Amino acid sequence: MTFALPAQDFRLCHANAAARIVIAVSPTETRMVMRALVYHGPGEKAWEDVPKPEVIADTDAIVRVDATTICGTDLHILKGDVPVVTDGRILGHEAVGTVESVGSGVKTVQAGDRVLVSCVSVCGTCRFCREGRSGQCLGGGGWILGYRIDGTQAEYVRVPFADNSTYPVPGGAADEDILMLADILPTGYEVGVLNGGVRPGDVVAVVGAGPVGLSAIMGASLFSPSHIVAVDLADSRLEAAKRFGADVVVNNGREDPLEVVRSLTGGLGADVAIEAVGVPATFELAVALSRPGGRIANIGVHGEPATLHLEEQWIRDITITTGLVDAYSTPTLLRLLASHHIDAGRFITHHFALDEIDEAYDVFARAADTGALKVVLSRAS
Amino acid sequence: MTFALPAQDFRLCHANAAARIVIAVSPTETRMVMRALVYHGPGEKAWEDVPKPEVIADTDAIVRVDATTICGTDLHILKGDVPVVTDGRILGHEAVGTVESVGSGVKTVQAGDRVLVSCVSVCGTCRFCREGRSGQCLGGGGWILGYRIDGTQAEYVRVPFADNSTYPVPGGAADEDILMLADILPTGYEVGVLNGGVRPGDVVAVVGAGPVGLSAIMGASLFSPSHIVAVDLADSRLEAAKRFGADVVVNNGREDPLEVVRSLTGGLGADVAIEAVGVPATFELAVALSRPGGRIANIGVHGEPATLHLEEQWIRDITITTGLVDAYSTPTLLRLLASHHIDAGRFITHHFALDEIDEAYDVFARAADTGALKVVLSRAS
Amino acid sequence: MTFALPAQDFRLCHANAAARIVIAVSPTETRMVMRALVYHGPGEKAWEDVPKPEVIADTDAIVRVDATTICGTDLHILKGDVPVVTDGRILGHEAVGTVESVGSGVKTVQAGDRVLVSCVSVCGTCRFCREGRSGQCLGGGGWILGYRIDGTQAEYVRVPFADNSTYPVPGGAADEDILMLADILPTGYEVGVLNGGVRPGDVVAVVGAGPVGLSAIMGASLFSPSHIVAVDLADSRLEAAKRFGADVVVNNGREDPLEVVRSLTGGLGADVAIEAVGVPATFELAVALSRPGGRIANIGVHGEPATLHLEEQWIRDITITTGLVDAYSTPTLLRLLASHHIDAGRFITHHFALDEIDEAYDVFARAADTGALKVVLSRAS
Amino acid sequence: MTFALPAQDFRLCHANAAARIVIAVSPTETRMVMRALVYHGPGEKAWEDVPKPEVIADTDAIVRVDATTICGTDLHILKGDVPVVTDGRILGHEAVGTVESVGSGVKTVQAGDRVLVSCVSVCGTCRFCREGRSGQCLGGGGWILGYRIDGTQAEYVRVPFADNSTYPVPGGAADEDILMLADILPTGYEVGVLNGGVRPGDVVAVVGAGPVGLSAIMGASLFSPSHIVAVDLADSRLEAAKRFGADVVVNNGREDPLEVVRSLTGGLGADVAIEAVGVPATFELAVALSRPGGRIANIGVHGEPATLHLEEQWIRDITITTGLVDAYSTPTLLRLLASHHIDAGRFITHHFALDEIDEAYDVFARAADTGALKVVLSRAS
């Protein structure tokens, strides 16, 4: 998917602004050009001209990106933490767009359709896709956009398995709201709330009030827990947690979350504890916060092992889950958005044009200062 | 419940063999005497005379022990690993016996009834008992026999909450078969098989083929998994595992269980992995053996923390459970015993009289040499 | 439990107003007297003097009734539809009160405690109580108050299995709110919402918007369905349904609910249909409203068979449930009341003193005219 | 898919036996010819020459039928009970065969592959396929073979959505065993056993011991119920039921199944009752046989409504399910076949060559006399 081109050729092609812009990808072949955010190794990225994607497999769709956003995972990749991602990869795995063309095998999507591009591509045929667990797809899908293949932070994106990996944008819905269903909302809902088995009346503790923790809080609210306790070190995030539905907030730099949770639960602990950070200490805290018989749902992306205190926990009937989003909840979340049970717009703190992506990354990376949750990058209309 | 008595008095009382044997528990009160296995601190135990138990709470039953057995946990206690257990405690939490007397509040059990005494006492009123999770009983039950109160390795035992903590011995059943339902069978079935969610066609890996691992193998067989893979370091245990239903055995001193499990599962890993040892290495192996989307059920009693490789597992949709037996499956297991779907007798390798308990402990503790799985201690009839 | 006394003796006793009022129940025994609503055969009831209840079993509590209410089932009984209920029975199965005395076997409740008296009595020992299905109690519990034994529409009530059948009134809670947890709220929640498996984003149809249908609507809201469609023939009930959380209402005297539900569901039908009336037509409507793969939860008390159109439904993957309330959700509902997720007060339309019970029955029976949902009868303080 | 051709033309084409046999489907187009069992209205069928199928959609496979069988549903269709099926339709929805060609969109199946053709076609994209409920497929799949499109009782069959609707035949497996996974085994397992929620220790009653009832018995055995009670009017079927795993059989022409089931269950009734006939009386019997809290799983194909005695059942906490097979269990059943947990061969009572299909239908239709369960029709090799 990556390509290398002599700088000189490139300039020539790019200069050819008449009618349609094309790019030479080999001495005998030209391709149309587009702008995209390309990863060039740790710490290096550029908004630059690249060949516009074309249908490769018959189940592909080419989608013009009308809105995209930046995920915490993109920051990890940029730091070089994700060695699967190599020089030349276009980043991004979230988009709302307009279908430009589709492969011959695409049945339910056609040019002109406005679609949500999910962060999970779904082959639809492998064992895991058949079981609704497409995050583990064995047929070439799963999370691949902006990771194993080029992604959505571009003017156009090639979406594999388009029938199963896109969803029509409902009439009347705002692009930027739908965009929140590409990753952040299904991740918090599936990996946090549903894996955690939140039930009405529960006390739910959410460790970490960044975007994915806030998504878990919003998702947990759908089940009417009696209390949602948000735990974070940043007061600004705890303020956000309140807006998203937490009724108790704990700054664990100043307060002991164990004490707070125990005081709410007759000393027992949380029915459900959701880990939304991705470091050993927060996982261990989530386990400690849980009651006997409780559930701990890990959402965080971890880079190192955690300690599991089995000498305490073997007897406590706990259940720990991990998971990558499968996006099976997307239709449900679309219905909940339509019925105003979720307010996706609450995530959106900043707006940029697509070609302001460098600034957008900067604002998003400095979330502690800027208060950024999700930034929306929109195509100039 | 413990008592201290001048050795002299004791001898006097014990010598009084006429009619009924009594013991002085205070200058003004005597109590009838019985023989029991009493813990006297790390490494110390004695089969000695103690006061016979009496009804304390109105829901108690006094049960004459007709058969009891020894559990691996008793060995842990004897080593001093379980500080809750203090000098003077009568050990043992498994029995089949005959009710001698009951408190005024006992409704469904009466003198003369032959009963299974479960290792779990069930208050029946607390939140956890109401939810079928009596291992976590908040009302004074849970695992208390031979732990927080005197146990079953004695001529008589006081059983709290008798209505909920005993089960009638079905007509025609052998005491020693029923005895296997006091702990070993429900533990393997509930904490291993049901927590692990074993389903027909699954590949189930059981790490550790001691008695509780064998119980998990027997319980897993009830769900017709396509393969049960037993992993252990002792060939003799692996031979036992075959008799209990494992169709693949792996000596992980010589073979790589990961390779074996992967070869059975198209490289994916086990659907369910059951940990039945209780040390970090076996837990970590169980996690490694599991497929994406798999379940790891911990049965082992752990004394130290394990490492959870979240840097690998955060993305793999795994579910880890821990638990203490609740004994909610006892009625089910009684039905399965009656219908010959489980062969409890397969556990029983040695028989002793109750007063041969020292020898029984010795044989059980040297299981690697003696091949002991469960030893049955019976009252002289 | 019923008694017969010569009219003459009774007058004598009742006249004895000094100090404490007593009643002769036999030539040699007197009992204190209280006022209660007594059923005297079809159409006949009287607020009259009867012997005050006393502890019979050691697990009984005698509770002074501070607040009680009337259930639709009481009207059925009064009509003579429930032959189990015979002349002399005190009606009523819902109360909040103050414990006056307890039997020797009661552990967790004591005189002076303020308690919710559940409509379900829980023996705590039988198979069904151990499985959380106390509505089917085999040990003498289940729904017995005001049915098989004397009930709560009286100054005092004997509550069997008091440890398991009462719940402490939380500090600060209003008696009349807690009273709604005796029957109406757990019935709608357990038998309608939980049996129906309502999930976020679902379209839920509730057929019948009387008190139990409204309870199902309130309970369904806890799970954030995308739409709750209430179906009834009375516009006043549909107005109430809106206040309880229905966002779509259908008067099926004027509109076709099938059409409405299909228009909301792309022609498929409701994810969950809840029957809350108890006649064949409404059950058959609930089945018809359901989508392929849908669930139909019957709450209604039926007096005759319904037609199940298996020639249409055998292929549609439907699930139909029936049930009597078990009250296992009472602790959950108490938490939800405390956290303001349910507003029990919304049910309460009328207040009466206990001795105005005839008027209360009249208002409740003429609900179509009076708009009565639940009427609260309170002890004069 | 149907066609009409002057008899004369047909003879000409068929006579052209040189090299490849062709058929004229229009004045300007010829198609190769094959033999197939064609429905010609109620009571009429013929094994006749028809055009060989060709790839229509890019996801089709053309499969040479190596083995097929006859289903009770085929008899229903032949009687004219299934008006969807019209004159000219090739019958049959079960096959094992060899892929001859595939459409351009087929990814995982190729010419030469030996495959099981499932009775359920799976579009893989619609809501229901994404939820594992392909029997309700909205994308053109579901049960269509031999129903809405031409079926498998032919030399060749066109299989839509081939990637999702066929399964590789495992090396070493017998065609005729795999053939039992096309319909009869998943139907009994999914619609009977899994919908019924059979658990170890349960008492399971199966009403009807024809092929699908026997399949339910075989499937139920996988969960180790304590008893499987088969109920039928024919002793020969009850003998078969014993071979398939029933340990109690009841001829309900002579014995009262209610009494038998109650005697096994302490008077309560069956934990699970499975209806496998499809008439009102057997459904009503299944409901009556169920215990409070029990489950009734309907497998039977019904032609008329049944009576549901809600006046008795409203209070009994029952769950009734209906369903069409989805075939989601096919991979599981393949594993269970490989591990010898199911013995598919037990169904097979008769063998025929493909062109003996008239005789095969006759033997199958007279099952009461012939003892036929499943008849296998094989291609001459």
Side-chain angles (χ1 to χ4, degrees):
Chain A
M1 191 81 315
T2 64
F3 67 102
L5 203 68
Q8 181 189 0
D9 286 1
F10 181 89
R11 277 194 305 274
L12 282 172
C13 296
H14 197 219
N16 177 6
R20 304 294 297 260
I21 294 172
V22 297
I23 194 167
V25 292
S26 80
T28 58
E29 188 196 350
T30 57
R31 285 252 293 282
M32 287 168 55
V33 81
M34 69 167 183
R35 305 287 281 176
L37 189 80
V38 183
Y39 172 71
H40 290 303
E44 301 297 322
K45 66 178 188 325
W47 179 249
E48 64 189 30
D49 280 7
V50 296
K52 191 181 148 186
E54 296 179 352
V55 164
I56 298 174
D58 65 345
T59 49
D60 287 347
I62 304 301
V63 175
R64 188 191 70 196
V65 175
D66 297 327
T68 186
T69 179
I70 306 171
C71 175
T73 307
D74 296 324
L75 300 183
H76 278 290
I77 293 172
L78 259 182
K79 278 190 209 148
D81 290 352
V82 186
V84 167
V85 182
T86 50
D87 183 7
R89 173 71 64 245
I90 300 173
L91 298 182
H93 48 264
E94 301 161 274
V96 166
T98 305
V99 176
E100 207 194 44
S101 61
V102 297
S104 63
V106 175
K107 317 287 187 213
T108 62
V109 177
Q110 55 190 342
D113 285 358
R114 312 228 44 251
V115 295
L116 164 67
V117 177
S118 175
C119 67
V120 174
S121 299
V122 178
C123 88
T125 292
C126 77
R127 166 197 183 149
F128 288 125
C129 284
R130 297 286 290 269
E131 295 175 355
R133 209 182 268 285
S134 295
Q136 308 293 336
C137 178
L138 300 170
W143 169 39
I144 53 174
L145 289 172
Y147 178 54
R148 297 186 182 277
I149 67 171
D150 283 337
T152 58
Q153 292 169 1
E155 290 182 311
Y156 295 88
V157 61
R158 181 179 70 90
V159 180
F161 311 113
D163 281 322
N164 293 330
S165 312
T166 66
Y167 299 85
V169 173
D175 277 15
E176 61 183 40
D177 286 352
I178 299 296
L179 182 61
M180 299 299 112
L181 272 72
D183 180 347
I184 191 73
L185 272 167
T187 294
Y189 187 58
E190 296 177 7
V191 186
V193 178
L194 297 184
N195 280 2
V198 175
R199 304 276 303 162
D202 278 355
V203 172
V204 179
V206 178
V207 181
V212 80
L214 296 172
S215 174
I217 290 169
M218 187 179 272
S221 302
L222 295 167
F223 287 93
S224 306
S226 60
H227 296 291
I228 300 178
V229 183
V231 181
D232 204 298
L233 287 163
D235 287 335
S236 59
R237 292 187 164 212
L238 294 172
E239 280 310 307
K242 283 188 201 166
R243 291 195 305 274
F244 275 73
D247 63 309
V248 180
V249 297
V250 182
N251 185 317
N252 57 330
R254 294 194 304 266
E255 284 176 280
D256 180 1
L258 273 163
E259 218 167 274
V260 174
V261 167
R262 284 177 185 157
S263 74
L264 287 169
T265 57
L268 285 179
D271 298 288
V272 181
I274 297 177
E275 200 281 347
V277 179
V279 299
T282 49
F283 176 78
E284 292 156 24
L285 175 59
V287 173
L289 288 172
S290 174
R291 70 162 168 88
R295 298 178 66 92
I296 299 101
N298 183 82
I299 319 180
V301 175
H302 291 259
E304 42 180 324
T307 299
L308 182 58
H309 287 286
L310 282 175
E311 79 283 13
E312 295 164 2
Q313 300 294 335
W314 74 267
I315 201 170
R316 292 183 82 241
D317 290 16
I318 61 168
T319 300
I320 298 170
T321 59
T322 71
L324 186 69
V325 66
D326 298 306
Y328 61 79
S329 70
T330 309
T332 298
L333 293 169
L334 282 165
R335 285 195 294 275
L336 288 165
L337 193 71
S339 62
H340 308 293
H341 283 87
I342 53 179
D343 176 2
R346 215 170 275 168
F347 284 101
I348 301 167
T349 53
H350 296 77
H351 292 84
F352 298 94
L354 204 45
D355 60 6
E356 299 169 322
I357 195 162
D358 276 328
E359 189 186 344
Y361 260 88
D362 178 65
V363 164
F364 183 67
R366 295 187 299 105
D369 297 336
T370 62
L373 296 176
K374 292 294 276 185
V375 303
V376 173
L377 294 138
S378 303
R379 178 176 164 272
S381 52
Chain B
M1 192 77 323
T2 63
F3 67 104
L5 204 67
Q8 180 188 1
D9 285 2
F10 182 89
R11 275 194 306 273
L12 281 173
C13 296
H14 196 219
N16 178 4
R20 304 293 298 260
I21 293 170
V22 296
I23 192 167
V25 292
S26 79
T28 57
E29 187 196 350
T30 58
R31 284 255 292 281
M32 285 166 58
V33 81
M34 70 168 182
R35 304 288 281 177
L37 189 80
V38 182
Y39 172 71
H40 289 302
E44 302 295 324
K45 66 177 187 327
W47 179 249
E48 65 190 30
D49 280 6
V50 296
K52 192 181 147 185
E54 295 178 355
V55 165
I56 298 174
D58 65 344
T59 50
D60 287 346
I62 303 301
V63 175
R64 187 191 70 195
V65 174
D66 297 327
T68 188
T69 179
I70 306 170
C71 175
T73 307
D74 296 323
L75 299 183
H76 279 291
I77 293 172
L78 259 182
K79 278 191 210 149
D81 290 353
V82 186
V84 167
V85 182
T86 49
D87 183 7
R89 173 70 64 244
I90 300 174
L91 298 181
H93 48 265
E94 301 162 273
V96 167
T98 306
V99 176
E100 208 193 44
S101 61
V102 297
S104 64
V106 175
K107 316 287 186 211
T108 63
V109 178
Q110 55 188 343
D113 285 358
R114 311 230 42 250
V115 294
L116 163 66
V117 177
S118 174
C119 67
V120 175
S121 300
V122 178
C123 90
T125 292
C126 78
R127 166 196 183 150
F128 288 126
C129 284
R130 297 286 289 268
E131 294 175 355
R133 212 182 266 287
S134 296
Q136 308 293 336
C137 178
L138 300 170
W143 169 38
I144 52 173
L145 289 173
Y147 178 54
R148 297 187 182 278
I149 67 171
D150 283 336
T152 59
Q153 292 169 0
E155 289 183 310
Y156 294 89
V157 60
R158 182 178 70 89
V159 180
F161 310 114
D163 281 322
N164 293 331
S165 311
T166 66
Y167 298 85
V169 173
D175 277 15
E176 62 183 41
D177 287 352
I178 299 297
L179 182 62
M180 298 301 111
L181 272 73
D183 180 349
I184 191 74
L185 273 167
T187 295
Y189 187 60
E190 296 176 7
V191 187
V193 178
L194 297 185
N195 280 4
V198 175
R199 302 278 302 164
D202 278 356
V203 172
V204 178
V206 178
V207 182
V212 81
L214 296 173
S215 174
I217 289 170
M218 187 178 273
S221 301
L222 296 167
F223 286 93
S224 307
S226 60
H227 297 291
I228 301 178
V229 183
V231 181
D232 203 298
L233 287 163
D235 288 333
S236 59
R237 291 187 164 211
L238 293 173
E239 281 309 306
K242 283 188 199 167
R243 292 196 304 274
F244 275 73
D247 62 310
V248 180
V249 296
V250 182
N251 185 316
N252 58 330
R254 293 193 304 266
E255 285 176 280
D256 181 359
L258 273 163
E259 219 168 90
V260 173
V261 166
R262 283 177 185 157
S263 73
L264 288 170
T265 55
L268 284 178
D271 298 288
V272 180
I274 297 177
E275 200 282 345
V277 179
V279 299
T282 48
F283 176 78
E284 291 156 25
L285 176 58
V287 173
L289 289 172
S290 174
R291 69 163 169 87
R295 298 178 65 92
I296 299 101
N298 183 81
I299 319 180
V301 176
H302 290 258
E304 42 181 325
T307 299
L308 182 58
H309 286 285
L310 281 175
E311 79 282 13
E312 296 165 1
Q313 300 295 335
W314 74 266
I315 201 171
R316 292 183 82 242
D317 289 16
I318 61 167
T319 301
I320 297 169
T321 59
T322 70
L324 187 69
V325 66
D326 297 308
Y328 61 79
S329 69
T330 308
T332 297
L333 293 169
L334 282 165
R335 285 196 293 275
L336 288 165
L337 194 71
S339 63
H340 307 293
H341 283 87
I342 52 177
D343 176 3
R346 215 171 274 167
F347 284 102
I348 301 168
T349 52
H350 296 78
H351 290 85
F352 297 94
L354 205 44
D355 60 7
E356 298 169 321
I357 196 161
D358 276 328
E359 189 186 343
Y361 260 88
D362 178 65
V363 164
F364 183 69
R366 294 187 301 106
D369 298 335
T370 62
L373 296 176
K374 290 296 275 186
V375 303
V376 172
L377 295 138
S378 301
R379 180 176 161 271
S381 51
Chain C
M1 195 70 328
T2 64
F3 67 103
L5 204 67
Q8 182 189 2
D9 286 2
F10 182 88
R11 275 194 305 272
L12 282 171
C13 297
H14 196 218
N16 177 6
R20 304 293 296 261
I21 293 171
V22 297
I23 193 166
V25 291
S26 81
T28 58
E29 186 197 351
T30 57
R31 286 255 291 281
M32 286 167 55
V33 83
M34 71 167 182
R35 304 287 282 176
L37 189 80
V38 182
Y39 173 71
H40 290 302
E44 302 296 324
K45 66 176 186 332
W47 179 249
E48 65 190 29
D49 280 7
V50 297
K52 192 182 148 185
E54 296 178 353
V55 165
I56 299 173
D58 65 345
T59 50
D60 287 346
I62 304 301
V63 175
R64 187 191 71 194
V65 175
D66 297 326
T68 186
T69 179
I70 306 171
C71 175
T73 307
D74 296 324
L75 300 182
H76 279 291
I77 293 171
L78 259 182
K79 279 188 209 149
D81 290 353
V82 187
V84 167
V85 182
T86 51
D87 184 7
R89 173 70 63 246
I90 300 174
L91 298 181
H93 48 264
E94 300 161 274
V96 166
T98 305
V99 177
E100 209 196 42
S101 62
V102 296
S104 63
V106 174
K107 318 285 187 214
T108 62
V109 177
Q110 55 189 342
D113 285 358
R114 311 230 42 250
V115 294
L116 163 67
V117 177
S118 174
C119 66
V120 175
S121 299
V122 178
C123 89
T125 293
C126 78
R127 166 195 183 148
F128 288 126
C129 284
R130 298 284 290 267
E131 294 176 355
R133 210 182 267 286
S134 296
Q136 307 293 336
C137 177
L138 300 169
W143 170 38
I144 53 174
L145 289 172
Y147 178 54
R148 298 187 182 277
I149 67 170
D150 283 336
T152 57
Q153 292 169 0
E155 291 183 309
Y156 294 89
V157 59
R158 181 179 70 89
V159 180
F161 310 113
D163 280 321
N164 293 330
S165 311
T166 65
Y167 298 85
V169 173
D175 277 14
E176 63 183 40
D177 287 351
I178 298 296
L179 182 61
M180 298 300 112
L181 272 71
D183 180 347
I184 191 71
L185 272 167
T187 294
Y189 186 59
E190 296 177 8
V191 187
V193 178
L194 297 185
N195 280 3
V198 175
R199 303 277 302 162
D202 277 355
V203 172
V204 178
V206 179
V207 181
V212 80
L214 296 173
S215 174
I217 290 169
M218 186 177 275
S221 302
L222 296 167
F223 287 92
S224 307
S226 60
H227 296 290
I228 300 178
V229 183
V231 181
D232 203 298
L233 288 162
D235 288 335
S236 60
R237 292 187 162 211
L238 294 172
E239 282 308 307
K242 284 187 201 168
R243 291 195 304 273
F244 275 73
D247 62 310
V248 180
V249 297
V250 181
N251 185 316
N252 58 330
R254 293 193 306 265
E255 284 177 280
D256 181 359
L258 272 163
E259 220 167 88
V260 173
V261 166
R262 284 177 184 156
S263 74
L264 288 170
T265 56
L268 285 179
D271 298 287
V272 180
I274 297 176
E275 200 280 346
V277 180
V279 300
T282 49
F283 176 78
E284 292 156 24
L285 175 58
V287 173
L289 289 172
S290 174
R291 68 163 170 88
R295 299 179 64 93
I296 300 101
N298 183 82
I299 319 180
V301 176
H302 290 259
E304 42 180 326
T307 299
L308 182 58
H309 286 287
L310 282 176
E311 79 282 13
E312 297 165 359
Q313 299 295 335
W314 74 267
I315 201 171
R316 292 183 82 243
D317 291 14
I318 61 168
T319 301
I320 298 170
T321 59
T322 71
L324 186 68
V325 66
D326 298 306
Y328 61 79
S329 68
T330 308
T332 296
L333 293 168
L334 282 165
R335 285 196 293 274
L336 288 164
L337 194 71
S339 63
H340 306 294
H341 283 88
I342 53 178
D343 176 2
R346 215 171 275 167
F347 284 101
I348 301 167
T349 53
H350 296 77
H351 291 84
F352 297 94
L354 204 46
D355 61 6
E356 298 169 322
I357 195 162
D358 276 329
E359 189 186 343
Y361 260 88
D362 178 66
V363 165
F364 183 68
R366 295 187 301 104
D369 298 335
T370 62
L373 296 175
K374 292 294 277 184
V375 302
V376 172
L377 294 137
S378 303
R379 177 174 164 275
S381 50
Chain D
M1 191 74 324
T2 65
F3 68 103
L5 203 70
Q8 182 189 3
D9 285 3
F10 181 88
R11 275 194 304 274
L12 282 173
C13 296
H14 196 219
N16 177 4
R20 304 292 296 261
I21 294 170
V22 297
I23 194 167
V25 292
S26 81
T28 58
E29 186 196 352
T30 58
R31 285 254 293 278
M32 286 168 54
V33 81
M34 69 166 183
R35 304 287 282 177
L37 189 80
V38 181
Y39 172 72
H40 290 302
E44 302 295 324
K45 66 177 188 327
W47 178 249
E48 65 189 31
D49 281 7
V50 297
K52 192 182 147 185
E54 296 178 352
V55 165
I56 298 173
D58 65 345
T59 49
D60 287 346
I62 303 301
V63 175
R64 187 191 70 194
V65 174
D66 297 327
T68 187
T69 179
I70 307 171
C71 175
T73 307
D74 296 323
L75 301 182
H76 278 291
I77 293 172
L78 260 182
K79 279 189 209 149
D81 289 353
V82 186
V84 167
V85 182
T86 51
D87 184 7
R89 173 70 63 244
I90 300 173
L91 298 182
H93 49 265
E94 300 161 273
V96 166
T98 305
V99 176
E100 209 195 43
S101 61
V102 297
S104 64
V106 175
K107 317 285 187 214
T108 63
V109 177
Q110 54 188 343
D113 285 358
R114 312 229 42 251
V115 293
L116 163 67
V117 177
S118 175
C119 67
V120 174
S121 299
V122 178
C123 89
T125 293
C126 78
R127 165 195 184 151
F128 288 126
C129 284
R130 299 283 291 267
E131 294 176 355
R133 211 182 266 286
S134 295
Q136 309 292 336
C137 177
L138 300 169
W143 169 38
I144 54 174
L145 289 172
Y147 178 55
R148 297 186 183 277
I149 67 170
D150 284 336
T152 58
Q153 292 168 1
E155 291 182 312
Y156 294 88
V157 61
R158 182 178 70 88
V159 180
F161 310 113
D163 281 322
N164 293 330
S165 311
T166 66
Y167 298 85
V169 173
D175 277 15
E176 62 183 40
D177 287 352
I178 299 297
L179 183 61
M180 298 300 110
L181 272 72
D183 180 348
I184 190 73
L185 273 168
T187 295
Y189 186 59
E190 296 176 8
V191 187
V193 178
L194 297 185
N195 279 4
V198 175
R199 303 277 302 162
D202 278 356
V203 172
V204 179
V206 178
V207 181
V212 80
L214 296 173
S215 173
I217 290 170
M218 187 178 273
S221 301
L222 296 168
F223 287 93
S224 308
S226 60
H227 297 290
I228 300 178
V229 184
V231 181
D232 203 298
L233 288 162
D235 288 333
S236 59
R237 292 187 162 211
L238 294 172
E239 282 308 307
K242 283 187 200 168
R243 291 195 304 274
F244 275 74
D247 62 309
V248 180
V249 297
V250 182
N251 185 315
N252 59 329
R254 294 194 305 266
E255 284 176 279
D256 181 359
L258 273 162
E259 220 167 90
V260 174
V261 167
R262 284 178 185 157
S263 74
L264 288 169
T265 55
L268 284 179
D271 299 287
V272 181
I274 297 177
E275 201 281 346
V277 180
V279 299
T282 48
F283 176 78
E284 291 157 24
L285 175 58
V287 173
L289 289 173
S290 174
R291 70 164 169 86
R295 297 179 66 92
I296 299 100
N298 183 82
I299 319 180
V301 175
H302 290 258
E304 43 182 324
T307 299
L308 181 58
H309 286 286
L310 281 175
E311 79 283 13
E312 296 165 0
Q313 300 295 334
W314 73 267
I315 202 171
R316 293 183 81 243
D317 289 16
I318 61 168
T319 301
I320 297 170
T321 59
T322 71
L324 187 68
V325 65
D326 297 307
Y328 61 79
S329 69
T330 308
T332 297
L333 293 169
L334 283 165
R335 285 196 294 272
L336 288 164
L337 194 70
S339 62
H340 307 293
H341 283 89
I342 53 178
D343 176 2
R346 215 171 275 168
F347 284 101
I348 301 168
T349 53
H350 296 77
H351 291 85
F352 297 94
L354 204 46
D355 60 6
E356 298 169 323
I357 195 163
D358 275 329
E359 190 187 342
Y361 258 89
D362 178 64
V363 164
F364 183 68
R366 294 186 302 104
D369 297 336
T370 63
L373 296 176
K374 291 295 277 186
V375 303
V376 173
L377 295 138
S378 301
R379 178 175 164 274
S381 51

